[in-house]
Amino acid sequence: ETMIEFDDVTKIYSDQTVAVEEISFAVERGTTTVFVGPSGCGKTTTMTLVNRMQDPTEGTVYYDGTDVQELDKVDLRRDIGYVIQEIGLFDHMSVGENIATVPELKGWDRSRIDDRVDELLELMDLPPAQYRDQYPTELSGGQQQRVGVARALAADPDVILMDEPFGALDPITREELQNEFLEIQDRIDTTILFVTHDINEALKMGDKIAIFDVGELVQYGTPQEILHDP
Ligand code: ADP
Ligand code: ADP
């Protein structure tokens, strides 16, 4: 079942930069698709077209069968989790409060939110009793990024967008988070779009890999297909 589909999508910025040109691909529900390629080749732009941070110049993006242009931007951004390299946690809010942000916006009741926060902290290997009431500045970079992932997953989104989520971490912490995230992937049915410029990270994390090269989608397939037809 297709969750996200790009049909001949082109995005040209107002300064005439062609960020992506006529790209088409489909993402199955519950899978992880990794966008990989050098800096400036259109990976982030492609991601932003899914939750309408930006709109395509031509072509259509479908979300669960509906043209995203017909969907409300605020709803989309609330329904789609988002993780970026610069963690973006709220420093004045505790770890628990950070994770609770979207469930609170959605009006979940307190006990359901509290249970969900603890469940996610366990999942991210941050024992709730120790970490729930800490503040982001008290945590290491790796721990902050775990909280960022927990926050993106908090309201059980169908889709999460991850833009170089581990890019700012040292190599050892990065590998640790990759491995943890692989385990988590098996336990959730979230559809994940993941941007990286690291081909090894792409091959490791992706069910499907989309290889970009200046504005074009040059290859799309499983890691095996990519490795056998480089
Ligand atoms: P990547 O994520 O692969 O690094 P981007 O999608 O960020 O690539 O950028 C693709 C191209 O679009 C680049 O040439 C970049 O400079 C350009 N670009 C990105 N955002 C904007 C913008 N807001 N206005 C104009 N050009 C942009
Ligand atoms: P990592 O190896 O994951 O980058 P660090 O070396 O930064 O972690 O930190 C190691 C441990 O020290 C972590 O368990 C973290 O909880 C704790 N720690 C790091 N910075 C702080 C801080 N400012 N206040 C309290 N504890 C901290």
Side-chain angles (χ1 to χ4, degrees):
E1 187 196 355
T2 299
M3 187 65 204
I4 295 164
E5 186 175 353
F6 276 61
D7 183 16
D8 256 341
V9 172
T10 295
K11 173 65 184 177
I12 303 172
Y13 286 107
S14 52
D15 65 359
Q16 302 310 312
T17 304
V18 181
V20 288
E21 190 161 23
E22 294 178 6
I23 59 170
S24 298
F25 62 93
V27 173
E28 292 292 297
R29 185 185 287 275
T31 62
T32 298
T33 297
V34 180
F35 299 162
V36 67
S39 180
C41 66
K43 305 181 298 292
T44 297
T45 299
T46 302
M47 197 123 131
T48 62
L49 300 174
V50 175
N51 67 352
R52 292 197 66 196
M53 281 181 288
Q54 305 191 86
D55 290 323
T57 312
E58 278 177 69
T60 311
V61 178
Y62 296 96
Y63 179 83
D64 206 6
T66 306
D67 180 348
V68 292
Q69 299 305 123
E70 290 167 25
L71 298 171
D72 183 73
K73 287 185 193 187
V74 176
D75 288 345
L76 264 178
R77 279 170 222 169
R78 212 172 268 180
D79 286 347
I80 296 179
Y82 193 49
V83 186
I84 53 172
Q85 177 174 327
E86 305 78 19
I87 299 140
L89 296 177
F90 305 118
D91 281 342
H92 62 286
M93 288 162 61
S94 70
V95 164
E97 288 164 348
N98 266 283
I99 297 171
T101 316
V102 176
E104 275 168 4
L105 282 170
K106 292 196 153 198
W108 290 19
D109 65 51
R110 194 69 248 167
S111 68
R112 183 177 174 205
I113 293 175
D114 290 344
D115 289 350
R116 182 65 179 152
V117 167
D118 287 359
E119 181 190 6
L120 282 162
L121 285 170
E122 295 282 3
L123 187 70
M124 298 311 305
D125 218 10
L126 298 167
Q130 187 181 349
Y131 289 101
R132 192 196 305 109
D133 298 322
Q134 289 210 22
Y135 283 81
T137 52
E138 297 174 301
L139 306 180
S140 70
Q143 292 170 330
Q144 291 186 36
Q145 205 55 308
R146 287 190 183 91
V147 175
V149 173
R151 186 174 63 177
L153 291 171
D156 275 323
D158 286 328
V159 174
I160 63 174
L161 309 177
M162 305 181 80
D163 194 345
E164 297 267 5
F166 311 141
L169 305 173
D170 64 84
I172 292 170
T173 309
R174 186 181 175 112
E175 190 172 352
E176 228 172 73
L177 260 79
Q178 288 170 352
N179 292 335
E180 284 173 18
F181 196 72
L182 280 176
E183 281 176 35
I184 292 167
Q185 270 177 26
D186 287 341
R187 295 160 61 181
I188 59 180
D189 55 8
T190 315
T191 307
I192 299 161
L193 297 186
F194 190 108
V195 166
T196 181
H197 59 259
D198 175 354
I199 183 69
N200 291 317
E201 184 167 75
L203 292 168
K204 181 171 175 179
M205 309 300 288
D207 297 309
K208 287 281 178 64
I209 316 279
I211 299 185
F212 283 76
D213 187 20
V214 275
E216 281 186 87
L217 183 51
V218 290
Q219 235 188 328
Y220 185 65
T222 64
Q224 289 75 10
E225 288 165 348
I226 301 283
L227 283 171
H228 291 132
D229 181 22

